[in-house]
Amino acid sequence: MATLTLVQAVNDALKTAMRDDPSVVVLGEDVGPKGGVFLATEGLTKEFGKARCFDTPLSEDGIIGTGIGMALNGLKPVCEIQFQDFIFPAFDQIVSEAAKFRYRSGGQYTCPMVIRTPYGGGIRGGLYHSQSGEAYFCHTPGLKVVIPSTPHDAKGLLLASIDDPDPVIFLEPKALYRQVKGEVPEGKYTVPLSTLRTVREGKSVTVFCYGAMVPVCLKAAEQAAEKGIECLVVDLRTLLPLDEEGVLEAAKQTGRVVVVHEAPRFCGFGGEISALIAENAIEWMEAPIARVTGFDTPFPNTLEHHYMPDARRVLDAIEHVHGY
Amino acid sequence: MTITLQRILEPDGRLVGEAPKLSESELRALFTHMLRVRVLDERMLKLQRAGRIGFVGTAKGLEAAIIGSAYALEKRDWLWSGLREGGAAVMRGLPLAEYLAQMYCNANDTAKGRQMCNHFQHKGSNYPSWSSVIGTQISHGVGAAYAAKVRGSGEVHAIYFGDGATSSNGFHSGLNFAGVWQAPCYFVCIDNGWAISVCNREQTAAESFADKGAAYGVPGVEVDGNDVLACYRECKRALDRARSGGGPTLIVLKTYRMLGHSSSDDPSKYRDQAEVDAWAARDPMDRFERYLLGRGLLKAGDRAMLEQELTTEIDAEIHRQEAAPPMALKTLVEDVYADVPRHLRLQYNKFIAVAERLGHAQKGDGAFPL
């Protein structure tokens, strides 16, 4: 088994899928000979030719719109949007078209496609290279929204997404691209969508998180453990469709819940987790649910490490709900 | 730029250009297809006025543009439509029953009544589902054409839209990508003069919409859209060119929307009747009829007889659609994903429990297993 970084695992998944299925194609800006600005598509054009991994003109709307057409006509496109911040010109194509084709056609036309895009802060990218837009997509029935946090999951979830018969928004935590390393099996394997992962067992407080917040929460949980508070840390992995049963079960195990994401708080995914628990498991709760999130502001640059939840802020929330 | 309007038939039915090679029976078939579009339009408007259906995107005046252009396609080719190409779908194989079921949005509709009226689809003749969003289908067609090129499947993708769509993102990205990829497709802009209430002179400062192709390395052609022979000939050329690897073409069919944008629109608020009258004198049906009469392919009275036959056929189908069964409530949550996920099964089950309690549920509306 090879030890890979998260971005290498993404690359490995793409190679595995393209070897496995000749209908898989990769398109986007700079994904060809350059191999993508983060090197996620490195070597693909060389191995599979430029008909299967190719640079497009600089138009996100065009990348997704033509990707939909490819999906409707027998290919399995994996579209890369260079930064999630640049996805909005394609929002119409994603929300009005990809997400709705199956429904509006009564199942006659479908869009099996993956839209990969790096998201999130921590790389000094400022407003337009740092945002976490998962909530926009989670509000759109017909899409699936997947966020890995480990190299193993990145490969297994991406392969499951490519196999999936519906459009998947695959958000890659760019802060973790080279920060995390892990063992990744060779060849094809999948991690099923809509299943969460228990990162750490604990009986005192449940911490829900995903993407780049997983290592932050793990660090906070270790610090809490030194104070005698054992946290159950849950990596949601797929936000839509969410493993609701798994979330409720994990919440009930401790009766004390912290939800962490770097996206703004208002209408953020944490609100959905909180509401789910409030509606279905309020009688198990021993404390109010706490959210640790980005501010309800645009993403800053110089002060980004104060904007993004860190172990200190997460620990504070853990201690608060534990001591309530 | 100077673009010459391509025309074969004068409004009086005289032949002034090189006619495409079409047999006598093909010419008569073209006329019947055009007439069906007009009769369908009239019948649908009456149904709408009677409150039986909700909405009609009218096609009166566009019969030559819709039918002449699409007649060039082979069965394997795809037609990516806008609002008004339903008649082309019928010509290419969409059963009248499915056309009407879609207008009724009833349980017989292959789209399960999810789209508003006048949003057709037909998998059997490669006519994908259209959304109401203007211009989005343009890049879909280009992507599908790219797929055809990679897979070597050989079909061509004809991508239709109106004059308003030339201002959309999809138009610019679609034509640009198609030019770069030399994708086996062509673009058919049916310039009917009006995007709801905005006239084409306010849509662009370009002399012709066909000029826009040059920016993408896509040749542009402007055609008299009320001349069915010219529409056919120019689309056939573009089709052959695309099929042989020669790349995409932008064809602009200049015509006129004789009625409102839809059954919900009153065009007298924004355009002069004199303009409408001037276009009425260039009516595509009358023009082609004159030509066929001149060639002895139609006789006086044939049109009225054909119209009666088409009306009878359509009316019989209307009666059948009026008797469609109610829509299954489960379709509320189906086809969002390949399988109905647990959260949607839960939402539906809660809803159906209330419906059953109140006696509103129907046979087959039972709960999903969890």
Side-chain angles (χ1 to χ4, degrees):
Chain A
M1 216 180 308
T3 300
L4 301 179
T5 62
L6 196 149
V7 72
Q8 286 169 336
V10 167
N11 183 262
D12 187 18
L14 292 170
K15 283 180 176 159
T16 303
M18 291 175 87
R19 283 172 195 150
D20 183 53
D21 180 354
S23 69
V24 176
V25 296
V26 169
L27 62 152
E29 293 154 11
D30 307 300
V31 300
K34 178 177 167 64
V37 295
F38 290 104
L39 301 182
T41 59
E42 192 175 31
L44 299 185
T45 302
K46 193 173 175 200
E47 181 173 345
F48 303 103
K50 67 177 185 180
R52 291 188 63 201
C53 176
F54 50 98
D55 294 325
T56 64
L58 206 162
S59 164
E60 288 77 14
D61 170 67
I63 293 166
I64 305 302
T66 57
I68 289 168
M70 292 174 200
L72 289 166
N73 195 16
L75 295 183
K76 277 226 138 193
V78 181
C79 302
E80 178 177 304
I81 298 296
Q82 201 161 74
F83 284 84
Q84 185 250 280
D85 311 69
F86 307 152
I87 206 166
F88 300 108
F91 200 61
D92 187 21
Q93 286 287 358
I94 296 169
V95 171
S96 305
E97 302 293 335
K100 293 180 174 59
F101 245 108
R102 179 188 292 280
Y103 182 79
R104 79 174 191 233
S105 69
Q108 301 223 345
Y109 289 94
T110 60
C111 295
M113 66 191 294
V114 178
I115 299 168
R116 290 182 40 247
T117 187
Y119 87 99
I123 63 149
R124 289 301 290 269
L127 291 82
Y128 302 114
H129 294 79
S130 306
Q131 296 172 84
S132 299
E134 64 273 15
Y136 297 117
F137 302 104
C138 288
H139 199 61
T140 303
L143 298 179
K144 296 188 177 182
V145 179
V146 177
I147 306 183
S149 72
T150 68
H152 176 274
D153 281 359
K155 180 174 175 183
L157 288 168
L158 183 50
L159 285 167
S161 299
I162 293 170
D163 278 352
D164 199 88
D166 288 301
V168 178
I169 308 289
F170 195 84
L171 296 165
E172 298 167 3
K174 66 172 100 67
L176 303 187
Y177 264 160
R178 291 179 178 79
Q179 188 188 314
V180 295
K181 280 188 182 174
E183 291 199 335
V184 175
E186 279 166 31
K188 182 163 178 177
Y189 68 96
T190 57
V191 172
L193 305 187
S194 298
T195 61
L196 45 73
R197 178 176 69 100
T198 301
V199 183
R200 184 189 194 282
E201 296 284 358
K203 299 263 181 243
S204 314
V205 174
T206 306
V207 181
F208 292 106
C209 54
Y210 49 89
M213 289 296 104
V214 174
V216 169
C217 292
L218 209 49
K219 188 174 169 193
E222 282 157 14
Q223 291 170 356
E226 288 168 15
K227 299 182 177 192
I229 307 170
E230 292 298 334
C231 292
L232 168 61
V233 179
V234 175
D235 177 359
L236 296 173
R237 299 200 293 197
T238 297
L239 304 190
L240 181 68
L242 178 67
D243 179 359
E244 293 187 352
E245 283 176 294
V247 168
L248 291 172
E249 197 184 307
K252 288 173 186 174
Q253 276 184 37
T254 66
R256 298 172 195 275
V257 171
V258 176
V259 194
V260 183
H261 56 66
E262 55 187 291
R265 172 176 307 219
F266 193 80
C267 281
F269 199 73
E272 195 54 47
I273 297 290
S274 305
L276 178 72
I277 295 166
E279 283 179 344
N280 296 283
I282 194 83
E283 62 270 41
W284 274 269
M285 291 298 107
E286 304 285 349
I289 297 164
R291 283 185 284 169
V292 185
T293 69
F295 289 84
D296 288 331
T297 65
F299 198 95
N301 185 35
T302 307
L303 295 179
E304 71 169 337
H305 290 292
H306 295 290
Y307 172 95
M308 294 171 64
D310 57 12
R312 191 184 48 177
R313 280 169 62 195
V314 175
L315 179 62
D316 180 64
I318 291 169
E319 287 183 306
H320 172 74
V321 300
H322 183 257
Y324 188 83
Chain B
M1 292 179 73
T2 310
I3 292 215
T4 316
L5 186 79
Q6 299 296 315
R7 179 183 286 167
I8 297 172
L9 284 181
E10 286 292 326
D12 61 8
R14 267 184 310 124
L15 203 60
V16 290
E18 181 204 342
K21 290 186 183 68
L22 289 168
S23 69
E24 293 184 351
S25 67
E26 283 174 318
L27 289 168
R28 275 194 294 259
L30 264 179
F31 185 77
T32 307
H33 291 310
M34 287 169 68
L35 196 58
R36 186 184 293 108
V37 173
R38 180 151 300 184
V39 174
L40 262 176
D41 220 38
E42 285 164 3
R43 292 301 292 138
M44 293 307 104
L45 275 172
K46 275 185 192 155
L47 282 182
Q48 196 275 337
R49 300 288 181 236
R52 303 306 301 160
I53 60 175
F55 173 93
V56 183
T58 64
K60 188 177 182 187
L62 315 179
E63 295 86 351
I66 292 167
I67 293 299
S69 61
Y71 199 70
L73 294 164
E74 292 177 18
K75 194 169 171 49
R76 60 178 161 162
D77 300 319
W78 290 43
L79 195 163
W80 297 82
S81 75
L83 175 64
R84 301 180 207 281
E85 285 76 55
V90 175
M91 173 176 74
R92 300 188 66 232
L94 169 66
L96 199 54
E98 286 186 28
Y99 182 101
L100 285 162
Q102 205 287 314
M103 290 304 282
Y104 275 85
C105 308
N106 65 19
N108 298 333
D109 175 16
T110 57
K112 303 185 187 173
R114 295 199 177 112
Q115 295 248 53
M116 68 186 286
C117 312
N118 224 117
H119 289 55
F120 308 103
Q121 62 175 7
H122 187 233
K123 191 134 195 181
S125 62
N126 302 318
Y127 190 96
S129 158
W130 177 66
S131 75
S132 315
V133 183
I134 295 301
T136 45
Q137 79 276 18
I138 300 175
S139 47
H140 300 167
V142 174
Y146 180 86
K149 191 173 172 175
V150 171
R151 296 168 57 218
S153 44
E155 84 278 6
V156 170
H157 293 259
I159 304 163
Y160 283 64
F161 47 90
D163 38 293
T166 60
S167 298
S168 72
N169 292 340
F171 176 82
H172 300 292
S173 58
L175 264 79
N176 189 39
F177 280 50
V180 171
W181 292 343
Q182 291 294 287
C185 61
Y186 61 95
F187 303 93
V188 183
C189 171
I190 299 189
D191 171 12
N192 68 28
W194 295 88
I196 304 188
S197 68
V198 178
C199 70
N200 52 17
R201 292 178 307 281
E202 289 174 23
Q203 201 66 243
T204 183
E207 232 173 86
S208 164
F209 290 115
D211 285 349
K212 290 173 183 272
Y216 308 109
V218 174
V221 185
E222 197 172 81
V223 184
D224 183 336
N226 285 12
D227 173 353
V228 67
L229 297 182
C231 291
Y232 168 77
R233 186 186 69 189
E234 294 306 319
C235 288
K236 182 73 168 65
R237 278 182 184 161
L239 177 91
D240 292 343
R241 182 164 177 264
R243 181 114 59 212
S244 65
T249 309
L250 169 61
I251 300 165
V252 178
L253 307 179
K254 285 195 75 66
T255 178
Y256 195 79
R257 193 192 76 210
M258 295 303 290
L259 303 174
H261 161 71
S262 73
S263 48
S264 316
D265 179 36
D266 172 11
S268 70
K269 288 170 84 173
Y270 53 80
R271 68 185 189 186
D272 289 338
Q273 189 56 36
E275 183 183 283
V276 183
D277 294 342
W279 278 92
R282 300 170 209 158
D283 182 76
M285 294 297 319
D286 295 347
R287 185 186 304 197
F288 195 42
E289 187 187 13
R290 285 183 197 117
Y291 171 70
L292 295 178
L293 285 168
R295 281 193 56 180
L297 299 177
L298 280 182
K299 307 188 296 291
D302 278 1
R303 177 169 171 177
M305 201 174 66
L306 259 176
E307 221 170 88
Q308 190 50 52
E309 280 172 24
L310 290 165
T311 305
T312 306
E313 183 193 2
I314 292 163
D315 284 352
E317 197 49 59
I318 287 171
H319 288 304
R320 280 194 282 273
Q321 294 308 324
E322 286 275 343
M327 190 75 71
L329 294 178
K330 268 188 174 169
T331 61
L332 272 168
V333 294
E334 287 170 340
D335 305 317
V336 180
Y337 302 97
D339 300 312
V340 182
R342 192 171 182 280
H343 71 285
L344 290 183
R345 283 182 272 140
L346 277 172
Q347 284 176 18
Y348 173 82
N349 286 358
K350 271 193 175 174
F351 155 83
I352 204 66
V354 176
E356 280 171 351
R357 200 166 66 231
L358 299 174
H360 298 160
Q362 319 157 118
K363 198 167 170 253
D365 283 340
F368 284 101
L370 290 176

